């Protein structure tokens, strides 16, 4: 396959489809979504079989447990995927919404209309349900999508893409509105991120290796959805029960997700009280603790943390721990080491909690809640394309609105400028 030629074809088709999609009615888009959901349910066995092939290859390649977990489609996972697509059909269609229409002294009316971004290229991890979620969100927001999932999921993604295209065609929309790149060759990514004439926005969901390449090579604007080096900070007025529950959920509910906590900060005045039960819980779940010298003095089985540990997103049962002097040091530490994804303070002190919210420079900042809540569904967006760690256009969980823009509209009646 000539990758350049192939990607040019994909891009040209996506651009043509995006023109049709921009004018698609809500009824057409919802019909396609409901057909896709029904096809996913109907072909559950085939999807599970394709996924089993991906899993067998990934196991043979020695993929880690957390990554296998992410790649796995269970029986219930397929149902959830279909349900997710159905939920997107129930969401309000943002496209065409007019707002802020005002008369100007000249007599014209000026306002805004919500419109799709156009063609969105999404590069994401080996998690098959993202293929259905991303397809559904792009479709409902009137965007054509070019999807490049992790190579380990290629068979699952191909199978899902076929059902998505079936649903699009059944609703009279172009099948090329959603295309899954049919090769794992990373040269295709190189083409995708430089096809300015065909691609309006790149949404990269991934880690540091991906972003290093994109920053060096991308010619297309990006909304970065990057790594999550997320923190939980136990302030001196933290309720011990809440602290234990929040650390447990933030760190151990899922090890491979970007909103999992990777680092724990504890105020010096309460470290002796709070750390032992938390360390016992973590050790009981085989989580390795990498701590500062003060942590090691309280938690004998903690190994010494290096400077690098505090910058690290483990995506594994490992956590870094640091004892801090108080709120100022905690905020400074987070702003230096975090990837600006999600951070949480545990405290019953309202003024300090409010300072944490204002001064921590991350996409989601929480009080007395698990970092695992950083998710479009949990935030009420209905679904998410991912969690933006960028500051411009969209920050944090990105739903339908984040995939749109607004253009100015002017309504006149023969008006001319004097
Ligand atoms: N903020 C968010 O919404 C999300 C963030 N993440 C983050 O993603 C990371 C984990 O996922 P992981 O799969 O390990 O991430 P990777 O960055 O390794 O891979 C993600 C995608 O990027 C591709 N990719 C990676 N490097 C390159 C490259 N140099 N050139 C071309 N393509 C590349 C991968 O393809 P290939 O298969 O070829 O490796 C894959 O499709 C974590 O850091 C996690 O926090 C994950 C999900 C959501
Ligand atoms: N929305 C997700 C988090 C984002 C995500 O998909 O993360 P990842 O496991 O890194 O692919 C969740 O909390 O369920």
């Amino acid at each position: 396959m000539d990758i350049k030629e192939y990607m040019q074809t994909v891009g040209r088709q996506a651009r043509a489809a995006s023109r049709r999609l921009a004018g698609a009615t809500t009824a057409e888009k919802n019909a396609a979504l409901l057909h896709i959901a029904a096809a996913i349910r109907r072909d559950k066995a085939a999807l599970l079989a394709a996924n089993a092939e991906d899993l067998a290859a990934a196991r043979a390649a020695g993929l880690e447990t957390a990554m296998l977990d992410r790649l796995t489609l269970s029986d219930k996972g397929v149902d959830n995927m279909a349900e997710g697509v159905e939920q997107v059909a129930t969401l309000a269609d943002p496209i065409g919404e007019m707002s802020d229409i005002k008369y100007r002294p000249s007599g014209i009316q000026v306002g805004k209309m919500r419109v799709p971004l156009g063609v969105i290229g999404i590069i994401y991890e080996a998690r098959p349900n993202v293929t259905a979620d991303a397809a559904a969100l792009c479709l409902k927001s009137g965007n054509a999508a070019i999807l490049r999932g992790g190579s380990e999921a290629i068979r699952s993604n191909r199978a899902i893409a076929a059902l998505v295209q079936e649903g699009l065609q059944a609703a009279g929309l172009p099948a090329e509105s959603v295309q899954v790149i049919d090769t794992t060759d990373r040269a295709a990514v190189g083409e995708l991120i430089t096809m300015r004439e065909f691609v309006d926005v790149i949404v990269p969901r991934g880690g540091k290796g991906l972003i290093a390449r994109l920053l060096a090579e991308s010619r297309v604007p990006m909304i970065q959805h990057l790594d999550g080096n997320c923190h939980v900070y136990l302030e001196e007025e933290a309720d011990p029960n809440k602290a234990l529950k929040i650390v447990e959920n933030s760190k151990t509910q899922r090890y491979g997700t970007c909103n999992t906590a990777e680092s724990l900060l504890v105020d010096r005045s309460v470290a002796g009280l709070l750390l032992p039960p938390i360390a016992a819980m973590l050790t009981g779940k085989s989580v390795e603790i990498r701590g500062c010298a003060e942590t090691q003095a309280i938690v004998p089985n903690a190994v010494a943390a290096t400077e690098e540990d505090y910058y690290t997103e483990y995506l594994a049962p490992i956590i870094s721990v640091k004892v801090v002097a108080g709120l100022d040091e905690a905020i400074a530490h987070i702003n230096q080491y975090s990837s600006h994804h999600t951070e949480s303070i545990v405290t019953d002190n309202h003024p300090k909690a409010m300072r944490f919210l204002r001064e921590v420079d991350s996409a989601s900042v929480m009080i007395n809640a698990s970092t695992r809540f950083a998710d479009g569904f949990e935030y009420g967006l209905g679904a998410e394309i991912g969690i933006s760690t960028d500051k411009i256009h969209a920050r944090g969980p990105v739903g339908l609105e984040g995939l749109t823009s607004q253009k100015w509209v002017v309504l006149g009646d023969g008006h001319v400028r004097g």
Side-chain angles (χ1 to χ4, degrees), residues 122-125 127 130 203-207 210 225-226 384-386:
I122 308 174
I123 305 164
Y124 53 100
E125 70 280 20
R127 183 198 267 285
V130 175
V203 173
R205 291 175 48 134
L210 174 65
H225 288 51
L226 300 180
E384 70 171 23
I385 201 80

Side-chain angles (χ1 to χ4, degrees), residues 70 125 127 205 256-259 372 374-375 384 387:
R70 209 163 60 170
E125 70 280 20
R127 183 198 267 285
R205 291 175 48 134
T257 54
C258 57
N259 50 23
R372 287 279 297 128
D375 171 76
E384 70 171 23
I387 298 162

